[in-house]
Amino acid sequence: MPEINVTPLGAGQDVGRSCILVSIGGKNIMLDCGMHMGYNDDRRFPDFSYITQNGRLTEFLDCVIISHFHLDHCGALPYMSEMVGYDGPIYMTHPTKAICPILLEDFRKITVDKKGETNFFTSQMIKDCMKKVVPLNLHQTVQVDDELEIKAYYAGHVLGAAMVQIKVGLESVVYTVSVNKSVQAAWIDKCRPDILISESTYATTIRDSKRCRERDFLKKVHETIERGGKVLIPVFALGRAQELCILLETFWERMNLKAPIYFSTGLTEKANHYYKLFITWTNQKIRKTFVQRNMFEFKHIKAFDRSYADNPGPMVVFATPGMLHAGQSLQIFKKWAGNEKNMVIMPGYCVQGTIGHKILNGQKKLEMEGRATLDVKLQVEYMSFSAHADAKGIMQLIRMAEPRNMLLVHGEGAKMEFLKGKIEQEFSIDCYMPANGETVTVKTNPSVPVDISLNLLKREMALGGPLPDPKKPRPMHGTLIMKENSLKLVSSEQALKELGLNEHQLRFTCRVQLQDPHSDADTLHRIYTHLKGLLKGYSIQHLPDGTVMVESIVIKVSSSSEDTNTKVLLLSWSYQDEDLGSYLSNLLKKGLPSGLC
Amino acid sequence: MSESEEDFDNWIIDSLKSYKDLHVFQMEHPINVMDWTSQKTVCTAGSGSSKSEILELCLPPKLFADENKSLCAGRDFTVLHGAFTDRIVSCLQHVPGTRCIVTGDELTSDLQVWDLGGDESDIIRRTGSIKGKSQVSEGGVRMATTPTHPPQILHGSTICDIHLTELNTGTTLYKNESDSAEPLSSLQFLNDRVFLASCCNGDVYIADSRMSASCRLSSPPESLDRCNLWWTNASVGPDLSSCRIISLSATGEAVVSDLRNQKNPRNVVSRAQLNLQTHQCNLDHVMLWWAPELKDCFSVSGFSGEVQIYDTSHWRTELQEVQPLFQHCGHAVSSTLSDRDVPPLVTSHIWHPSSPQTLLSAASDGSVHVWDWVIPSGPEPEQL
């Protein structure tokens, strides 16, 4: 039985290091290659020893696919390709390809420069790794080789995030990290993959609405502004910054607020550049804004100059980088940290070692360069705007995609018996939840399509006997021709013709002795009546030349030379009618019933 | 932007001042009943067409983070345990001091007993059932609990079939003797032995479950229209005489009475005509609660898409129209129902046992809100 194997890689049970190995149709694919942020040693990387104990991964993997730019999905990529060794193709969407190296470099700098680590990939390794990347367009089928094809679909999770369909022959797997419910996933309706793989980190949650998160954000900003404080929002160029700007602009307009909002220029240029490139990847709201007016020509949001940070009075500033680890956001933070009227809003996860991470852990005194300490008196707010699928989202995903099997990847060891039961009950499919390092084998049942020649079909249908029951298999004679990628069923004559061979006929003959006092002709007639009564649905003819034909089987009667009551029946059939011929000979050996006339 | 989106946006902006905290969730099925299982966890039952899903949820961590509230980003419910049942659950009660809940459905008077479980598994297991004693009345079975050892459950659907059953053994500890088949609107313990049985016609009976005597009728005030439909809730105080009863009719007449004089009919403290904005014919989901931590305040839902909170401290004995102290309109404005002609109905709401202004409410469109409201300026109700 054909099967698909799925193994989440990794040495621990913690969340955050996405890397899944899929074996389908003889091909091996790695889905994502993430870094675990919580560990400082090799445990932060997936355990590649599962693939091979020593040496490079190139010959063991047909391709690597990265779903989106978050570090827990691509953070270990340069390590895998340059330090462990992999030279094959790495597939990801265009935005992911553009953003990954920036994040990887930032991350590398923090880890090596701030934390002083040594066993880490270098800047050159990141560059070399990205050279192996083959970018994907949406809805475009890519032939990895002559058997493996992949296709990317819009996932709506972050910019450039994709759902990926992997197909080998008639078996397919779909991998998704999350599906934004606003995504019109019409394609998924026709999909029906053998396995749908999804992250389930948030599968046991029910998410608060986006509006309420935004409300909380507006409330905090408003309260700070009202008391004359300043709000710093450290952002990554392509994170939530644009959406938050649109939100604030609308709010300012509505409430008639006067406090200035600034967006640092570096941010503007980069963002403009990327958004223009990837306009098809952004969500509706941003696209509408971008089309209506040029990205950052807001009424209330202006370009920032570093001198503004010293201006008195309330203001809001968006600045990079997002984790306060360097640059402008850190400069502004240092100036504003000492005043409790001010606020810093962290809109996402911060890597260990950064100032962002420290203040989110409640640290009130920070050590700066030159042994100076910074007192953190301003209010620190942690807000999460991430868009992972929750319990309901996963059910909706399965409802749309209609997979034959469901596989949830989670690193938490969290008990999800209830969700598993819910999925199995509602959709009548198996739901697997492998732990890291555990392989799940899913048996597939691919159908093999074969074309049948019209002549053969017509002939089989014209043959007598019980009509073919679609549920009951029925033997038929034909020849299977496998040419290029197609399978064809044709009649034997057709096949012989194509091969240029002569057809040979094979006939069987059988003699059956029968005791019957009647004349030959009468005996034949009795045989005819007997068979006619028994073999309804078959063509049975009593021919004037003194034979009975059952389909194409010929029956003749002659008397034995010694005894006229001993009849010898001659049955003759071609090999195609072997079944019926054998049946008739056995039947007639039993003799004729007496009541026949 | 569509009109409904605009309404919701407007409401969200207004909410910046009127709510301290606000969380909006969308469930797959509308939740009909809820009960607290601890300070931070709640058990809900929501029904689709033929099945119910029972969930034990943990409140968003941010709500109760205290000093570290701003550093806590968790705004979501966590599903701790879950189960399915083939019945439409119409009532649910947590048994205090245990990890048990008891559910009842609309069709029978049987009760199902469940074990919520601990850390080993996330499945809620059915551990037993209590056979109903009679045909269920239209309203379904009512239940009440009080902390006792061993755990017990008070249940019944009419005056004559009230039973107190010991959970572990199924033994009947108390049974009301009565001829009246008047359907019950609620059962409520006033202390660990005395309970109130309120009828749909406004009658209220009192009984002591440790005595075999039948429930004693505490006649409603003479002015109560017994042909109307009534709901009742009692505020539990240090002794019975301080117990206040709020009665509400289907036409919005509210009467506050008490048991201080122990006389019949009950002493009327005050009354008012509420502005309930009823547009529903279906009154199966009406809920009426005294606020556990705000003096003289009660809440009502089930007549519309709003939850209304009234302050009775300034009510008088003459009937007059009053306006609610606060209205939670969130369900009505945020409705995702496509048919705007059928606005959502609030199916259930409960007060948090100790956080004075925190409530949980659910509506027929599957929405669930957790909200901590700000008392509008003016004389504030005392905190208890």
Side-chain angles (χ1 to χ4, degrees):
Chain A
M1 263 313 239
E3 58 193 32
I4 302 177
N5 288 324
V6 181
T7 314
L9 296 183
Q13 283 278 342
D14 295 328
V15 182
R17 167 199 20 227
S18 293
C19 184
I20 301 162
L21 204 61
V22 174
S23 292
I24 171 175
K27 306 288 169 187
N28 293 326
I29 299 120
M30 179 182 284
L31 298 172
D32 282 339
C33 191
M35 172 90 74
H36 191 301
M37 306 309 200
Y39 293 113
N40 291 328
D41 51 30
D42 282 356
R43 284 176 298 175
R44 63 175 140 211
F45 302 122
D47 184 9
F48 300 117
S49 66
Y50 178 83
I51 306 172
T52 173
Q53 291 289 331
N54 42 283
R56 303 177 73 77
L57 302 174
T58 315
E59 60 185 281
F60 297 97
L61 290 175
D62 291 280
C63 70
V64 174
I65 305 175
I66 302 291
S67 63
H68 65 290
F69 62 66
H70 277 161
L71 287 173
D72 55 347
H73 289 260
C74 73
L77 196 60
Y79 168 78
M80 193 269 298
S81 73
E82 307 311 306
M83 292 168 84
V84 178
Y86 169 74
D87 299 313
I90 300 172
Y91 292 98
M92 59 181 79
T93 61
H94 285 275
T96 310
K97 182 179 178 197
I99 299 166
C100 255
I102 303 172
L103 279 180
L104 287 168
E105 181 51 38
D106 256 0
F107 180 51
R108 189 205 67 75
K109 266 211 283 257
I110 297 169
T111 309
V112 172
D113 300 345
K114 296 245 177 278
K115 289 159 74 187
E117 297 215 15
T118 45
N119 183 29
F120 213 74
F121 48 82
T122 63
S123 291
Q124 188 56 43
M125 285 181 186
I126 296 173
K127 295 196 177 96
D128 292 337
C129 172
M130 296 312 287
K131 288 192 190 127
K132 298 170 184 169
V133 169
V134 179
L136 294 170
N137 287 317
L138 286 179
H139 302 214
Q140 178 196 40
T141 304
V142 171
Q143 293 288 144
V144 177
D145 58 35
D146 54 6
E147 285 169 320
L148 170 63
E149 62 181 57
I150 62 177
K151 205 166 176 182
Y153 294 88
Y154 182 71
H157 171 37
V158 292
L159 183 67
M163 292 189 277
V164 187
Q165 182 189 41
I166 298 145
K167 221 162 151 186
V168 179
L170 288 156
E171 290 178 309
S172 68
V173 167
V174 170
Y175 172 57
T176 180
V177 168
S178 180
V179 176
N180 195 315
K181 66 177 177 196
S182 67
V183 166
Q184 287 305 321
W187 73 273
I188 257 180
D189 295 335
K190 302 174 196 100
C191 175
R192 298 218 74 218
D194 287 289
I195 309 178
L196 173 63
I197 304 176
S198 172
E199 292 245 305
S200 60
T201 320
Y202 296 93
T204 50
T205 63
I206 298 174
R207 285 184 71 74
D208 188 14
S209 69
K210 190 169 177 214
R211 279 271 175 53
C212 282
R213 287 169 206 276
E214 292 174 347
R215 175 194 173 271
D216 203 30
F217 171 72
L218 291 175
K219 191 172 198 301
K220 294 292 177 329
V221 171
H222 192 218
E223 280 166 5
T224 307
I225 296 294
E226 275 202 317
R227 63 171 180 249
K230 299 170 163 59
V231 184
L232 171 65
I233 309 171
V235 286
F236 172 62
L238 292 155
R240 304 282 157 195
Q242 285 67 34
E243 281 188 59
L244 294 178
C245 274
I246 296 168
L247 197 60
L248 277 187
E249 166 93 347
T250 319
F251 184 59
W252 245 240
E253 186 68 32
R254 194 215 168 90
M255 305 288 277
N256 201 20
L257 296 173
K258 302 290 175 217
I261 309 175
Y262 299 113
F263 206 83
S264 69
T265 40
L267 210 62
T268 314
E269 280 157 18
K270 251 190 239 166
N272 257 339
H273 169 69
Y274 284 116
Y275 271 98
K276 281 202 180 101
L277 266 185
F278 304 127
I279 192 68
T280 45
W281 285 88
T282 56
N283 67 31
Q284 278 286 78
K285 217 179 192 176
I286 292 186
R287 207 179 312 176
K288 253 199 315 198
T289 313
F290 197 87
V291 165
Q292 276 170 18
R293 50 183 162 194
N294 198 351
M295 199 63 201
F296 294 104
E297 280 167 19
F298 285 119
K299 209 166 126 186
H300 302 277
I301 307 181
K302 306 272 174 260
F304 186 67
D305 182 279
R306 63 152 72 143
S307 63
Y308 297 172
D310 297 317
N311 289 357
M315 71 172 83
V316 180
V317 177
F318 289 89
T320 53
M323 300 184 240
L324 287 179
H325 53 282
Q328 192 165 70
S329 60
L330 183 57
Q331 293 309 314
I332 300 169
F333 177 77
K334 282 190 203 164
K335 284 192 191 212
W336 295 357
N339 188 338
E340 61 243 338
K341 275 202 236 171
N342 295 340
M343 178 185 282
V344 61
I345 298 180
M346 307 299 296
Y349 177 81
C350 292
V351 162
Q352 231 183 41
T354 57
I355 303 253
H357 191 262
K358 292 185 180 144
I359 59 173
L360 284 179
N361 274 5
Q363 223 172 302
K364 294 277 177 237
K365 283 200 189 309
L366 298 170
E367 230 185 68
M368 303 271 111
E369 283 109 56
R371 299 278 182 97
T373 34
L374 183 67
D375 276 325
V376 180
K377 293 205 184 127
L378 87 177
Q379 217 177 306
V380 180
E381 284 283 335
Y382 184 21
M383 294 194 183
S384 158
F385 289 96
S386 74
H388 284 272
D390 63 355
K392 196 169 82 168
I394 288 181
M395 297 301 280
Q396 278 172 346
L397 181 64
I398 302 174
R399 205 166 284 130
M400 284 196 300
E402 288 185 41
R404 296 193 175 90
N405 296 278
M406 184 66 202
L407 197 134
L408 292 172
V409 193
H410 65 105
E412 260 188 330
K415 287 153 284 292
M416 283 198 283
E417 238 185 286
F418 175 60
L419 179 64
K420 182 166 144 64
K422 197 165 153 166
I423 291 172
E424 286 172 348
Q425 206 186 76
E426 182 158 339
F427 302 110
S428 302
I429 59 174
D430 283 326
C431 177
Y432 301 93
M433 293 176 174
N436 285 335
E438 184 191 326
T439 301
V440 161
T441 301
V442 176
K443 300 223 182 297
T444 58
N445 196 7
S447 51
V448 182
V450 173
D451 291 327
I452 181 170
S453 87
L454 194 56
N455 284 336
L456 183 60
L457 187 62
K458 278 189 182 160
R459 184 210 290 183
E460 285 296 319
M461 284 176 67
L463 279 177
L467 278 175
D469 176 355
K471 294 205 176 82
K472 229 173 153 189
R474 184 186 113 131
M476 60 180 282
H477 290 275
T479 308
L480 184 69
I481 302 181
M482 296 203 285
K483 213 172 175 183
E484 286 141 15
N485 275 333
S486 69
L487 295 165
K488 227 173 20 164
L489 197 61
V490 297
S491 65
S492 314
E493 300 84 35
Q494 176 76 17
L496 289 166
K497 209 157 90 175
E498 286 202 26
L499 293 167
L501 295 172
N502 286 329
E503 187 178 1
H504 289 71
Q505 290 283 344
L506 209 62
R507 283 195 81 84
F508 294 102
T509 314
C510 169
R511 284 188 163 73
V512 176
Q513 285 209 338
L514 205 62
Q515 293 295 96
D516 196 285
H518 299 92
S519 72
D520 287 356
D522 285 343
T523 306
L524 189 69
H525 189 80
R526 292 183 74 219
I527 289 170
Y528 169 72
T529 313
H530 176 50
L531 293 180
K532 194 107 183 142
L534 273 180
L535 300 174
K536 305 210 195 304
Y538 284 88
S539 148
I540 304 175
Q541 297 164 290
H542 188 171
L543 298 175
D545 66 356
T547 59
V548 162
M549 275 196 68
V550 180
E551 298 292 330
S552 64
I553 296 161
V554 179
I555 306 175
K556 282 199 180 120
V557 175
S558 56
S559 302
S560 145
S561 41
E562 294 94 32
D563 172 20
T564 47
N565 287 345
T566 306
K567 302 287 184 246
V568 176
L569 305 179
L570 194 73
L571 283 87
S572 168
W573 61 87
S574 75
Y575 86 100
Q576 282 102 331
D577 295 320
E578 164 62 22
D579 283 339
L580 187 56
S582 298
Y583 170 74
L584 282 176
S585 73
N586 285 331
L587 176 69
L588 292 171
K589 276 183 188 146
K590 294 186 189 140
L592 296 172
S594 43
L596 290 170
C597 47
Chain B
M1 191 189 287
S2 74
E3 195 190 294
S4 58
E5 269 179 22
E6 223 181 288
D7 286 343
F8 186 45
D9 274 353
N10 288 341
W11 182 73
I12 287 276
I13 298 292
D14 291 340
S15 80
L16 291 180
K17 289 279 190 254
S18 47
Y19 294 80
K20 202 169 120 215
D21 282 313
L22 179 65
H23 296 252
V24 166
F25 302 91
Q26 189 63 37
M27 312 295 282
E28 283 182 272
H29 302 296
I31 298 226
N32 292 324
V33 281
M34 309 189 274
D35 195 15
W36 297 103
T37 53
S38 79
Q39 292 283 320
K40 296 193 179 154
T41 57
V42 64
C43 195
T44 65
S47 307
S49 50
S50 57
K51 284 210 296 240
S52 295
E53 184 183 63
I54 302 173
L55 298 173
E56 189 188 22
L57 305 172
C58 184
L59 286 179
K62 201 172 173 81
L63 270 177
F64 295 98
D66 297 331
E67 324 90 55
N68 280 336
K69 204 175 168 98
S70 62
L71 298 181
C72 178
R75 296 189 62 88
D76 307 327
F77 273 137
T78 306
V79 178
L80 297 172
H81 302 93
F84 284 104
T85 171
D86 285 335
R87 302 163 187 245
I88 305 288
V89 171
S90 60
C91 59
L92 185 153
Q93 194 85 24
H94 170 241
V95 181
T98 71
R99 288 290 291 155
C100 279
I101 56 162
V102 182
T103 60
D105 61 77
E106 326 176 300
L107 297 175
T108 71
S109 56
D110 296 340
L111 302 179
Q112 312 292 316
V113 184
W114 305 80
D115 177 12
L116 292 169
D119 291 333
E120 351 65 56
S121 152
D122 67 345
I123 302 270
I124 300 174
R125 292 183 202 286
R126 203 162 78 88
T127 52
S129 59
I130 297 170
K131 204 89 184 73
K133 307 287 191 276
S134 67
Q135 278 291 90
V136 72
S137 75
E138 255 179 50
V141 73
R142 310 291 172 197
M143 295 193 281
T145 53
T146 189
T148 50
H149 250 306
Q152 301 156 0
I153 183 110
L154 186 70
H155 57 104
S157 55
T158 60
I159 276 292
C160 62
D161 83 357
I162 299 176
H163 291 81
L164 181 67
T165 307
E166 195 178 277
L167 264 188
N168 298 334
T169 59
T171 328
T172 304
L173 302 169
Y174 169 90
K175 179 174 148 48
N176 186 35
E177 303 293 343
S178 166
D179 297 327
S180 164
E182 196 60 46
L184 292 173
S185 65
S186 63
L187 285 171
Q188 186 180 0
F189 273 101
L190 300 179
N191 58 34
D192 63 348
R193 47 199 292 172
V194 176
F195 67 85
L196 220 66
S198 310
C199 297
C200 294
N201 65 1
D203 286 343
V204 168
Y205 291 79
I206 306 176
D208 185 328
S209 61
R210 310 252 174 106
M211 292 161 51
S212 55
S214 311
C215 296
R216 170 178 65 82
L217 173 65
S218 163
S219 306
E222 274 149 14
S223 44
L224 220 73
D225 171 14
R226 291 170 89 255
C227 297
N228 210 332
L229 200 58
W230 289 90
W231 294 271
T232 310
N233 188 242
S235 69
V236 178
D239 54 65
L240 285 182
S241 57
S242 63
C243 166
R244 285 260 180 110
I245 296 178
I246 174 86
S247 304
L248 177 67
S249 79
T251 49
E253 190 189 331
V255 179
V256 180
S257 54
D258 64 30
L259 300 173
R260 97 179 68 203
N261 296 333
Q262 301 261 340
K263 68 177 189 207
N264 272 335
R266 290 198 299 281
N267 177 41
V268 171
V269 173
S270 59
R271 49 158 49 97
Q273 179 62 41
L274 307 187
N275 178 11
L276 289 174
Q277 312 200 343
T278 319
H279 48 65
Q280 299 284 344
C281 309
N282 171 5
L283 294 175
D284 292 339
H285 297 284
V286 171
M287 292 211 173
L288 184 65
W289 303 110
W290 282 110
E293 297 289 322
L294 287 179
K295 194 164 187 288
D296 296 330
C297 287
F298 73 90
S299 60
V300 57
S301 73
F303 289 92
S304 66
E306 281 98 30
V307 180
Q308 295 182 325
I309 298 170
Y310 289 90
D311 181 354
T312 64
S313 57
H314 54 278
W315 286 12
R316 305 205 288 269
T317 49
E318 306 83 46
L319 188 68
Q320 48 177 197
E321 278 196 23
V322 290
Q323 295 303 320
L325 171 66
F326 187 84
Q327 260 196 145
H328 176 69
C329 309
H331 296 283
V333 294
S334 69
S335 174
T336 50
L337 285 176
S338 49
D339 184 0
R340 290 292 288 171
D341 290 334
V342 183
L345 179 70
V346 173
T347 49
S348 174
H349 83 271
I350 46 178
W351 289 82
H352 188 271
S354 57
S355 179
Q357 281 133 249
T358 303
L359 288 99
L360 213 68
S361 57
S364 55
D365 63 352
S367 57
V368 172
H369 295 181
V370 185
W371 37 289
D372 188 349
W373 57 286
V374 171
I375 299 171
S377 50
E380 289 193 4
E382 275 174 57
Q383 281 199 21
L384 293 171

